[in-house]
Amino acid sequence: MQCRANPQSVAILEKLFKSKNWRKRVVAINAISQMCIPKRPFSHYAVKEAQNILAMAIKDTNINIVIEGLYGISFRKTDEALPNIISLADHENRDVRRAVVSALYSFSEKIFIQTLIKLATDVDDYIREYATFGLGQMHVDVDIPEVRERLFLNCDDHCHYVADDALTGLIYRKDPRIFDLLQKRLVRVEELNNCIEYAISDTKSLVLAKLLNIKLELFQ
């Protein structure tokens, strides 16, 4: 259905979303939130219809509908849903909070960045890692002190995925603290995570590459 971009398909999905069967509703949300014209550049189709469904989905009483709606918003930014997305960041269900992080990838406004910063301190390792990745690499253009500080603090996270994503985010921002952080990391591990090396390469950090004796193709 995602590639059948026509009014008839949209009508079917809108009807399916009203089903009493939550599984059918999940299918409708998934399909319409990613519907596109099956020709390059694969332009989005039925955007407004998708946004209407997604805004309703995240206010649903069924937790599965809410979660699918949040993931759908990561494909179709839905401004109308913003207040509800933020309120769900404190939800007791970790799967909901995980989906909130995904939805927030679509937004770069400061209030949503603050929510990502909060989720980067979540008790759940996956949520912290996902939120830290969002701050560090999905929103590189948002370079404010609060983001840098959270990335710096997360460099010492007990979960190495969180720590790697935090360090990568600081590298992309060319934060001066990365020299000491990288050297300390190399004392503890035999090699750096690929995402860190990619960040050094992408930012053309020749000084870092030489300092750490990283053999990157870019500098050979």
Side-chain angles (χ1 to χ4, degrees), residues 47-60:
V47 173
K48 187 59 180 176
E49 290 84 349
Q51 290 173 331
N52 289 339
I53 285 178
L54 294 170
M56 289 186 286
I58 67 169
K59 292 186 286 186
D60 203 89

Side-chain angles (χ1 to χ4, degrees), residues 73-78 102-109 139:
I73 290 171
S74 69
F75 294 103
R76 296 290 183 271
K77 182 180 178 182
T78 306
S102 182
L104 289 174
Y105 281 4
S106 301
F107 303 93
S108 59
E109 292 83 352
H139 291 298

Side-chain angles (χ1 to χ4, degrees), residues 30-209:
N30 182 279
I32 201 165
S33 66
Q34 300 180 62
M35 183 171 278
C36 62
I37 298 172
K39 293 182 180 179
R40 293 186 183 280
F42 306 109
S43 302
H44 294 171
Y45 188 81
V47 173
K48 187 59 180 176
E49 290 84 349
Q51 290 173 331
N52 289 339
I53 285 178
L54 294 170
M56 289 186 286
I58 67 169
K59 292 186 286 186
D60 203 89
T61 55
N62 186 305
I63 201 71
N64 298 287
I65 301 298
V66 173
I67 291 171
E68 193 64 31
L70 288 166
Y71 281 120
I73 290 171
S74 69
F75 294 103
R76 296 290 183 271
K77 182 180 178 182
T78 306
D79 292 339
E80 181 184 343
L82 298 180
N84 296 98
I85 295 173
I86 294 175
S87 67
L88 290 169
D90 292 318
H91 201 281
E92 62 182 9
N93 187 304
R94 69 176 184 178
D95 291 329
V96 172
R97 301 199 306 279
R98 289 179 178 184
V100 167
V101 175
S102 182
L104 289 174
Y105 281 4
S106 301
F107 303 93
S108 59
E109 292 83 352
K110 187 172 182 179
I111 186 172
F112 309 112
I113 295 300
Q114 294 295 345
T115 305
L116 264 185
I117 291 173
K118 177 181 178 180
L119 287 166
T121 67
D122 197 275
V123 296
D124 183 89
D125 288 356
Y126 181 92
I127 295 172
R128 286 201 317 285
E129 191 267 327
Y130 208 13
T132 302
F133 172 81
L135 289 172
Q137 299 176 61
M138 295 294 289
H139 291 298
V140 176
D141 56 318
V142 182
D143 192 9
I144 58 177
E146 298 99 307
V147 169
R148 288 200 181 208
E149 185 59 21
R150 176 39 54 193
L151 291 174
F152 177 74
L153 292 173
N154 279 18
C155 283
D156 284 329
D157 197 279
H158 71 267
C159 174
H160 71 89
Y161 293 113
V162 176
D164 286 346
D165 283 330
L167 181 54
T168 301
L170 289 178
I171 291 172
Y172 276 117
R173 289 167 175 76
K174 299 181 180 180
D175 190 287
R177 293 171 290 186
I178 57 179
F179 293 93
D180 288 339
L181 290 169
L182 280 166
Q183 288 177 317
K184 291 177 181 178
R185 179 67 57 83
L186 286 173
V187 171
R188 302 196 305 269
V189 299
E190 294 182 1
E191 59 182 345
L192 295 172
N193 186 295
N194 285 340
C195 69
I196 295 175
E197 294 197 0
Y198 290 149
I200 293 172
S201 177
D202 287 345
T203 55
K204 297 179 174 59
S205 300
L206 180 58
V207 173
L208 280 180

